[in-house]
Amino acid sequence: MNTDVHDFTDDYQTPEGRAGVFSSLFPNVSFYLRMALTVRHAAALSKKNCYDSQQWVRSSLRIVHALERAGGSVITENTKAFKAAQGPCVFIGNHMSTLETFILPCIIQPHKDVTFVVKQSLVEYPFFKHVLLTRNPITVTRTAPREDLKAVLEGGEQRLAQGLSIIVFPQSTRSYTLDRTLFNSIGIKLAKRAGVPVVPVALDTRAWGIGRLCKDFGSIRPSIPARFRFGDPITVHGTGKNEHAQVCDFIEDALTRWRTQPEDTQKIIE
């Protein structure tokens, strides 16, 4: 399997002919099998202290290829926006499924060292925890807002000072739409405190559905493209209220445009 880190160029789109016959007929079996093997391999390397940034990118690309093999597609737009930015950034995006946490590393990491703000529960998952802990993530509880804010601001500022960019999903839960009342300004506060720019990230990852019994593992829906659009870096001024609104506007605009495109008008919005 090709895991060249240069698979992603600006405005990447999955080429024709990536899908496999069997994999397309049984996308859930195909994708989850490949995903499980990828995570197991990554965990094994992590336990041996052999899982570096290059390996992380390769694992991420394997997830992209697993989705493409199952008949899915990945589209990235305006990656040049963050590539041109000097120094680390705070990436602020909507949170829709598990897929973005698997795919964003192979888009961003080849150009900027990056990590995530993640739920504490994720670093307690079997296999997943070994991989995540090598990435120096910031963990939050999602049940103690004051403690979470402190963890993100202090931990994020420390990592940004070391040149490590941060990916933040401010929504309290995964959603196929953007609810501004649930989209907090923690990423803006962090960027302001650390003196770094914000990069908006709009994404639509309904290709990996939200599970009924376990949110992390839903159905794979290859007919829905996985889309990632990056906005131009934003410098935070004053309270950051205007910049927060800019990020929300960017995400809402992207979601609206994507869901009125011909190939997506018939897709279910759950």
Side-chain angles (χ1 to χ4, degrees):
M1 180 182 295
N2 178 21
T3 53
D4 184 352
V5 297
H6 299 295
D7 268 12
F8 282 99
T9 57
D10 190 37
D11 300 331
Y12 172 88
Q13 183 165 350
T14 295
E16 294 290 336
R18 285 287 177 96
V21 176
F22 175 84
S23 299
S24 297
L25 290 173
F26 304 98
N28 287 306
V29 174
S30 171
F31 178 83
Y32 277 113
L33 177 59
R34 291 171 184 270
M35 185 272 287
L37 291 173
T38 296
V39 172
R40 188 179 70 172
H41 176 69
L45 291 177
S46 299
K47 291 177 182 179
K48 297 176 182 178
N49 295 318
C50 298
Y51 195 73
D52 58 14
S53 295
Q54 183 82 354
Q55 291 290 349
W56 192 33
V57 170
R58 291 184 181 278
S59 295
S60 180
L61 280 169
R62 289 188 180 101
I63 299 300
V64 172
H65 297 152
L67 182 64
E68 293 175 332
R69 189 69 178 169
S73 61
V74 176
I75 301 170
T76 66
E77 303 173 46
N78 201 36
T79 56
K80 63 183 179 183
F82 74 82
K83 292 176 186 177
Q86 297 297 315
C89 308
V90 176
F91 293 86
I92 303 178
N94 56 310
H95 193 19
M96 197 170 288
S97 77
T98 308
L99 191 59
E100 52 261 27
T101 58
F102 277 98
I103 292 183
L104 282 171
C106 69
I107 302 173
I108 299 174
Q109 179 61 43
H111 310 284
K112 289 185 179 297
D113 288 332
V114 69
T115 191
F116 287 93
V117 175
V118 300
K119 292 185 299 182
Q120 177 63 35
S121 59
L122 289 180
V123 298
E124 297 169 356
Y125 269 30
F127 297 105
F128 285 106
K129 65 180 181 181
H130 302 292
V131 178
L132 278 175
L133 289 173
T134 68
R135 300 298 92 211
N136 193 21
I138 301 170
T139 60
V140 294
T141 64
R142 294 281 175 86
T143 59
R146 185 171 297 180
E147 287 77 6
D148 288 348
L149 176 62
K150 181 179 180 181
V152 173
L153 293 182
E154 294 182 356
E157 184 177 26
Q158 180 186 52
R159 288 162 176 77
L160 288 162
Q162 297 170 348
L164 190 62
S165 293
I166 309 291
I167 300 172
V168 181
F169 302 123
Q171 289 171 249
S172 59
T173 187
R174 281 163 285 199
S175 174
Y176 294 145
T177 59
L178 179 69
D179 183 343
R180 291 189 183 226
T181 64
L182 300 177
F183 199 87
N184 65 55
S185 60
I186 195 168
I188 297 291
K189 290 183 173 68
L190 172 58
K192 172 69 175 179
R193 176 167 172 156
V196 302
V198 163
V199 175
V201 185
L203 57 90
D204 187 338
T205 55
R206 290 170 294 149
W208 185 333
I210 299 174
R212 296 182 184 276
L213 298 178
C214 178
K215 285 188 174 183
D216 294 324
F217 302 104
S219 295
I220 301 303
R221 299 178 289 189
S223 61
I224 305 177
R227 299 178 182 273
F228 300 83
R229 179 183 294 173
F230 296 84
D232 294 333
I234 300 170
T235 301
V236 181
H237 300 284
T239 63
K241 183 177 180 179
N242 291 335
E243 290 77 14
H244 180 68
Q246 281 182 257
V247 172
C248 291
D249 289 343
F250 177 83
I251 294 170
E252 284 184 335
D253 178 70
L255 293 178
T256 299
R257 289 173 181 269
W258 289 334
R259 293 178 185 180
T260 56
Q261 291 185 4
E263 70 272 23
D264 209 29
T265 53
Q266 302 301 315
K267 305 299 186 296
I268 186 170
I269 301 177
E270 300 176 60

